[in-house]
């Protein structure tokens, strides 16, 4: 199966960077100084760009591409610090942040790596260079949580509160509060100071200022409780976000660590799966997971392919059938020949694609980033005015004004708002991959709900793509031909990859005929093929080709019409002066096609079939499966024109295909779907959405998941903005305490994270 090259949609060129605490997203070329999640500046800074993923960064002449794993890089808080720090390092050309993997990719001048590492270390981080090709799976965070210290801080903060209410000496209340702050807040102060020193107002800086301000105005117990609650909430939030991160990492655990490999002396030995190479023969026992992609060479069994394709039932495997890493053998036993090393399996491609997809920002995410860059400085500015203006103009107490301002500072961090989108998108992408649907970016997951038209190729999409020959006859072949016309036709057909031609060639082989040698073979896209046999040039193709060559006749047209009305596809052989032979083949419709089309209609999506086969066959298949509109006799450029005819400002059009003839249409459609991508690296790497098996019903599943993801996004944005608005109003009127402000900030974050993670559990209705 061959798939088109990657289409160049405008949204594919969006620059990528990190998403709040777990999901990568794009940077937009705006000026310095904006703040977003935790005060994060999401601008693509002067360093250059954070490209469309690390895979797209390339080192130019005199440049080097390096990958650094940074265990402390969990959130845009750290990403911002690194960006600003590296902005002043000579020789840094481009950056790409993958917060899901905690990996920073840097394109730098030769000899600049030591300066880069030193600059990152100055931020109290520990960069670890990764070798080329090394897995970028997230490393455990360098920081270990001392729960005894956190718990002790909580006890001390509570005792400080009790001391205050019991009207104990102020020195005792203050001492307990300071002890609580030191027990759990040193890390917050250190990070806050680093942020302020680098000109960044992130959540650590805002919290440090707020707690210090509370201490200065004598609110000892509240300062201690705020610091304790903040640290506890941060830990809970980090654990929750790790669920989204580990959902992707969990895919790695599907592959076994060892495999039983046949040695040169014929003995079998258990070896690490990572050491497998193409050509190795591996034995699989009942119940074992398959360690690598391969082809069965002996034995048979049923294999559970659900981790890769999402199929609910095991698939029977026998000799010459493909098997995939991480799938599970059932009761039988077989041996297979490895076709892809551990790092190049279908599973590895899926993991890579999902990780890269998490770096592509969805439209909602871009809006949230722009909003959050305005929100934080605006609220900080309001806090300053609240602290100064009322006392100066209306003689309000300075204590009350500063207290309200401190509450506003805590609320100024838009973490919940920025987290809401990437967590939902990551959960949706992972949920899709578990169903055998590989979505190549959040933009496609979010835009899928807007599809109004879906164009479908016929062969291999609606039908099995394996037609069989039903008719074969000589036509006007002269007696002096060096070989039978039917044999010449089959020999040319064998050189083509089109299913109709392959059916003719397979029929000849099955009859025991030895095919002829074909020279000067040429494919004629949308028409047929050309080649020489014994020095004579022949063409084998459809009615369009016969007409172009001027060999069509009324008699020929009548015979072709007769076959096509029966739903058959016909091809003819010519030497350029006359038609020598005719063949007809018939394809069978997949059992799932009619149900898939009916499901799409239920979802409000209209369907259009585009095929190079004749119009009669197209209409017959369309009527059989319930397609709204069918067009036949289409060249690749005709399919492209058909897609363009459906496009409109408020209409999203999808295209489903699996062949090179579909390339222009797949590229022009808003979302391109590749069928049967399991084991096909090209499909996984180029399609917008890759259906890992050939079940067309999964498009309905994708659309439902897209709509569910959108609903969660809207819910999360409403939660984040609603809670912030309520507490901003309370703080402005002097009715919000500092600990209430902490709950407004981290409580909203926890709510949106929990809501986003629901997508991992919920199965969309339908197939």
């Amino acid at each position: 199966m061959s798939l088109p090259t990657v289409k160049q949609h405008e949204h594919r060129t969006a620059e990528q960077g990190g998403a709040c605490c777990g999901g990568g997203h794009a940077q937009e070329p705006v000026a310095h100084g904006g703040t977003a999640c935790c005060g994060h500046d999401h601008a693509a800074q002067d360093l250059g760009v954070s490209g469309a993923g690390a895979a797209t960064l390339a080192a130019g002449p005199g440049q080097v591409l390096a990958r650094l794993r940074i265990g402390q890089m969990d959130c845009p808080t750290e990403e911002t610090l690194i960006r600003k720090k590296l902005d002043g390092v000579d020789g840094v050309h481009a950056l790409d942040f993958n917060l899901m993997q905690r990996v920073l990719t840097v394109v730098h001048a030769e000899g600049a790596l030591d300066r880069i590492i030193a600059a990152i270390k100055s931020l109290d981080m520990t960069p670890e260079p990764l070798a080329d090709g090394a897995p970028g799976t997230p490393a455990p965070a360098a920081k270990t949580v001392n729960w005894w210290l956190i718990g002790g801080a909580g006890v001390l903060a509570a005792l400080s509160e009790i001391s205050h209410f019991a009207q104990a000496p102020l020195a005792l209340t203050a001492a307990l509060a300071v002890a609580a702050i030191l027990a759990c807040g040193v890390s917050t102060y250190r990070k806050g100071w680093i942020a302020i020193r680098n000109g960044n107002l992130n959540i650590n800086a805002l919290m440090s200022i707020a707690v210090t301000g509370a201490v200065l105005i004598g609110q000892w117990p509240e300062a201690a409780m705020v610091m304790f609650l903040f640290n506890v909430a941060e830990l809970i939030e980090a654990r929750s976000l790790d669920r989204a991160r580990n959902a992707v990492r969990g895919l790695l655990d599907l592959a076994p660590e060892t495999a039983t490999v046949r040695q040169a002396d014929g003995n079998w030995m258990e070896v690490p799966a990572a050491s497998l190479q193409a050509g190795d023969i591996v034995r699989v026992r009942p119940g074992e997971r398959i360690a690598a992609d391969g082809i069965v060479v002996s034995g048979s069994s049923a294999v559970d392919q659900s981790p890769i394709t999402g199929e609910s039932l095991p698939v029977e495997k026998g000799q010459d059938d493909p098997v995939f890493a991480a799938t599970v053998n059932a009761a039988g036993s077989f041996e297979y020949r490895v076709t892809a090393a551990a790092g190049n399996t279908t599973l590895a491609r899926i993991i890579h694609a999902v990780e890269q997809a998490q770096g592509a920002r969805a439209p909602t995410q871009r809006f949230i980033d722009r909003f959050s860059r305005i929100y934080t400085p605006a609220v900080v500015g309001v806090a300053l005015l609240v602290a100064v203006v009322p006392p100066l103009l209306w003689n309000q107490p300075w204590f009350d004004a500063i207290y309200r301002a401190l509450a506003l500072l805590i609320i100024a961090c838009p973490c919940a708002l920025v987290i809401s989108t990437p967590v939902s998108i990551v959960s949706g992408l992972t949920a899709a991959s578990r169903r055998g649907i590989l979505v190549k970016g959040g933009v496609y997951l979010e835009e899928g709900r807007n599809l109004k038209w879906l164009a479908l190729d016929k062969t291999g999409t609606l039908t099995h793509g394996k037609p069989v020959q039903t008719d074969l006859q000589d036509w006007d072949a002269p007696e002096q031909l060096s070989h039978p016309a039917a044999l010449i036709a089959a020999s040319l057909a064998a050189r083509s990859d089109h299913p109709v031609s392959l059916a003719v060639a397979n029929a000849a082989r099955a009859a025991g005929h030895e095919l002829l040698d074909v020279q000067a073979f040429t494919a004629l896209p949308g028409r047929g093929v050309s080649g020489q046999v014994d020095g004579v040039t022949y063409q084998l193709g459809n009615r369009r080709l016969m007409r172009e060559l001027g060999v069509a006749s009324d008699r020929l047209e009548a015979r072709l019409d007769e076959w096509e009305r029966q739903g058959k596809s016909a091809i003819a052989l010519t030497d350029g002066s006359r038609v020598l032979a005719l063949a007809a083949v018939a394809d069978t419709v997949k059992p799932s096609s009619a149900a898939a089309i009916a499901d799409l209609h239920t979802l409000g999506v209209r369907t259009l079939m585009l095929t190079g086969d004749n119009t009669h066959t197209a209409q017959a298949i369309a009527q059989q499966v319930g397609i709204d509109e069918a067009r036949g006799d289409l060249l690749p450029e005709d399919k492209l024109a058909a897609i363009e005819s459906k496009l409109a400002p408020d209409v999203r059009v999808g295209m489903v295909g699996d062949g090179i003839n579909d390339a222009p249409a797949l590229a022009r459609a808003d979302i391109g779907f590749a069928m049967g991508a399991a084991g096909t690296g090209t499909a996984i790497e180029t399609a917008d959405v890759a259906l890992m098996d050939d079940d067309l019903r999964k498009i309905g599943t994708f659309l439902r998941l897209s709509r569910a993801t959108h609903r969660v996004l809207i819910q999360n944005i409403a939660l984040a903005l609603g809670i912030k608005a309520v507490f901003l109003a309370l703080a402005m009127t002097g009715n919000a305490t500092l600990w209430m402000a902490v709950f407004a900030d981290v409580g909203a974050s926890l709510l949106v994270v929990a809501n986003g993670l629901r997508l991992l559990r919920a199965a969309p209705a339908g197939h």
Side-chain angles (χ1 to χ4, degrees):
M1 181 190 312
S2 64
L3 263 284
T5 56
V6 180
K7 63 183 173 185
Q8 300 301 319
H9 284 317
E10 289 80 10
H11 51 244
R12 283 202 173 173
T13 63
E15 296 173 32
Q16 170 191 341
C20 185
C21 308
H25 65 271
Q27 315 299 321
E28 293 193 342
V30 298
H32 287 281
T35 53
C37 173
C38 314
H40 173 46
D41 180 357
H42 289 280
Q45 313 245 353
D46 295 342
L47 301 170
V49 298
S50 176
T56 65
L57 289 185
Q63 298 177 350
V64 179
L65 187 145
R67 298 167 66 232
L68 303 173
R69 181 161 57 195
I70 306 172
Q72 300 86 353
M73 192 173 69
D74 288 314
C75 179
T77 301
E78 291 84 21
E79 180 186 336
T80 300
L81 293 175
I82 295 171
R83 278 188 180 280
K84 287 204 169 188
K85 196 69 179 179
L86 296 186
D87 192 15
V89 175
D90 184 44
V92 177
H93 299 294
L95 301 175
D96 180 90
F97 290 83
N98 189 324
L99 299 185
M100 289 298 293
Q101 297 175 294
R102 298 191 180 104
V103 171
L104 167 64
T105 303
V106 187
V107 175
H108 61 84
E110 294 180 358
L113 184 59
D114 290 341
R115 295 195 299 273
I116 293 169
I117 291 176
I120 297 173
K121 285 183 176 180
S122 72
L123 299 175
D124 202 22
M125 299 182 189
T126 53
E128 172 193 350
L130 290 175
D132 291 341
T137 52
K143 180 183 68 175
T144 57
V145 178
N146 189 328
W147 290 104
W148 286 105
L149 201 59
I150 296 291
V155 171
L156 290 169
L159 289 174
S160 180
E161 290 277 9
I162 294 171
S163 174
H164 173 71
F165 283 110
Q167 296 184 348
L170 180 60
L172 176 61
T173 302
L176 291 170
V178 170
I181 293 171
L182 293 177
C184 65
V186 172
S187 176
T188 302
Y189 271 111
R190 185 175 66 251
K191 292 179 180 178
W193 170 242
I194 292 174
I196 293 172
R197 193 178 63 199
N198 286 274
N200 194 243
L201 276 180
N202 62 28
I203 185 59
N204 294 300
L206 293 172
M207 191 59 63
S208 299
I209 294 170
V211 171
T212 303
V215 167
L216 292 176
I217 63 175
Q219 294 295 304
W220 298 98
E222 198 157 7
M225 190 59 71
V226 164
M227 185 62 81
F228 166 69
L229 291 174
F230 170 71
N231 277 274
V232 170
E234 286 281 287
L235 291 174
I236 296 173
E237 184 182 311
R239 292 293 179 91
S240 299
L241 287 167
D242 275 343
R243 286 191 57 196
R245 178 183 286 117
N246 291 337
V248 179
R249 293 183 62 191
L251 294 173
L252 288 172
D253 298 332
L254 295 175
E257 294 183 357
T258 61
T260 305
V261 180
R262 188 168 66 194
Q263 305 300 300
D265 59 5
N267 293 322
W268 296 89
M269 179 181 294
E270 194 169 272
V271 302
S275 68
L276 292 177
Q277 298 294 326
D280 288 346
I281 303 298
V282 179
R283 183 169 63 191
V284 183
R285 292 183 288 267
E288 279 190 335
R289 286 191 181 271
I290 296 170
D293 289 2
I295 299 293
V296 177
V297 295
S298 66
S300 62
S301 182
V303 175
D304 176 8
Q305 297 189 150
S306 58
I308 299 296
T309 66
E311 294 171 283
S312 58
L313 297 176
V315 179
E316 294 294 331
K317 298 290 184 179
Q319 188 166 348
D320 296 330
D321 286 334
V323 292
F324 307 115
T327 57
V328 183
N329 181 31
S333 179
F334 61 88
E335 299 170 9
Y336 68 92
R337 183 179 68 256
V338 175
T339 57
N344 197 37
T345 63
T346 300
L347 175 67
R349 292 193 189 103
I350 291 174
I351 293 170
H352 176 73
V354 172
E355 288 172 340
Q356 291 297 314
Q358 291 162 0
R361 291 191 307 171
T364 300
Q365 199 165 346
R366 292 195 291 270
F367 163 76
I368 293 300
D369 290 341
R370 290 192 295 268
F371 176 83
S372 59
R373 281 196 293 269
I374 299 170
Y375 173 84
T376 297
V379 176
V380 170
V382 170
L384 290 174
L385 292 176
V386 166
V388 175
V389 173
L392 292 179
L393 295 185
W394 300 297
N395 293 321
Q396 288 188 5
W398 283 95
F399 176 93
D400 294 341
I402 293 173
Y403 187 89
R404 286 198 296 269
L406 295 177
L408 284 172
L409 280 181
I410 296 174
I411 299 172
C413 177
C415 268
L417 187 60
V418 181
I419 287 173
S420 63
T421 306
V423 168
S424 302
I425 293 295
V426 167
S427 298
L429 293 171
T430 305
S433 68
R434 290 177 177 176
R435 292 163 174 80
I437 305 168
L438 188 59
V439 186
K440 295 299 294 294
V443 61
Y444 307 116
L445 182 62
E446 188 171 347
E447 287 296 317
R449 67 186 178 86
N450 294 320
L451 279 186
K452 300 300 182 186
W453 277 94
L454 184 68
L456 307 100
D457 179 42
K458 178 182 76 69
T459 306
T461 300
L462 292 165
T463 65
H464 285 105
K466 297 179 180 179
V468 294
Q469 180 178 287
T470 58
D471 301 270
L472 177 66
Q473 66 179 91
D474 288 338
W475 195 247
D476 291 329
E479 294 183 0
Q480 65 268 28
L481 276 179
S482 58
H483 301 284
L487 183 59
I488 296 173
S491 300
L492 262 69
R495 296 291 301 276
S496 172
D497 62 355
H498 194 282
V500 172
S501 297
L502 293 177
V504 174
N506 291 337
R509 292 191 184 99
H513 297 299
E514 185 175 348
L515 299 181
L516 306 172
D517 182 46
V518 177
Q519 302 293 327
F521 178 84
T522 304
L524 307 173
R527 298 169 177 82
V529 298
S530 174
Q532 292 182 358
V533 175
D534 293 338
V536 179
T537 299
Y538 298 94
Q539 291 84 25
L540 177 71
N542 56 20
R543 185 197 302 248
R544 179 191 296 270
L545 181 61
M546 297 304 110
R547 289 173 177 172
E548 289 180 357
L549 295 173
V551 296
S553 64
D554 291 342
R555 175 168 157 257
L556 175 68
E557 297 275 5
R559 176 54 58 88
L560 296 180
D561 287 342
E562 178 185 349
W563 282 346
E564 290 173 359
R565 279 191 294 270
Q566 298 170 13
K568 300 175 182 179
S569 296
I571 55 176
L573 176 73
T574 178
D575 60 2
S577 60
R578 74 195 89 182
V579 174
L580 306 176
L582 298 178
V585 301
D587 199 356
T588 55
V589 174
K590 295 177 182 178
S592 61
S593 293
I597 298 303
D599 190 35
L600 289 169
H601 290 162
T602 300
L603 293 168
V605 178
R606 302 195 66 190
T607 50
L608 167 68
M609 185 171 74
L610 306 176
T611 178
D613 285 347
N614 64 83
T615 302
H616 292 300
T617 299
Q619 294 294 341
I621 297 297
Q623 185 175 3
Q624 186 175 346
V625 300
I627 294 283
D628 293 312
E629 185 180 333
R631 303 184 189 181
D633 291 317
L634 299 182
L635 296 174
E637 55 266 31
D638 298 326
K639 292 185 177 183
L640 172 61
I643 292 292
E644 291 179 333
S645 71
K646 299 298 183 185
L647 291 171
D650 58 342
V651 176
R652 296 290 181 268
V653 179
M655 172 70 189
V656 189
D658 66 349
I660 192 66
N661 284 345
D662 304 321
L666 281 165
R668 186 66 182 91
D670 293 297
I671 302 180
F673 297 85
M675 291 287 290
T680 309
T682 306
I684 293 175
E685 291 163 7
T686 62
D688 299 328
V689 180
L691 308 180
M692 303 308 292
D693 62 4
D694 286 322
D695 192 346
L696 195 60
R697 292 173 294 183
K698 287 192 173 173
I699 294 183
T701 301
F702 165 75
L703 295 180
R704 286 186 171 86
L705 186 58
S706 173
R707 294 177 183 186
T709 302
H710 179 72
R711 286 195 299 271
V712 170
L713 284 173
I714 297 302
Q715 292 166 5
N716 279 350
I717 292 171
L719 275 172
L721 290 178
I723 292 173
K724 290 285 187 182
V726 168
F727 281 90
L728 276 172
L730 290 174
M732 292 286 290
T733 58
N735 294 309
T737 62
L738 293 183
W739 64 264
M740 288 171 63
V742 172
F743 278 125
D745 178 59
V746 295
S749 297
L750 293 175
L751 281 175
V752 299
V753 168
N755 194 41
L757 291 175
R758 288 192 303 118
L759 290 168
L760 291 175
R761 301 191 303 271
H767 299 284

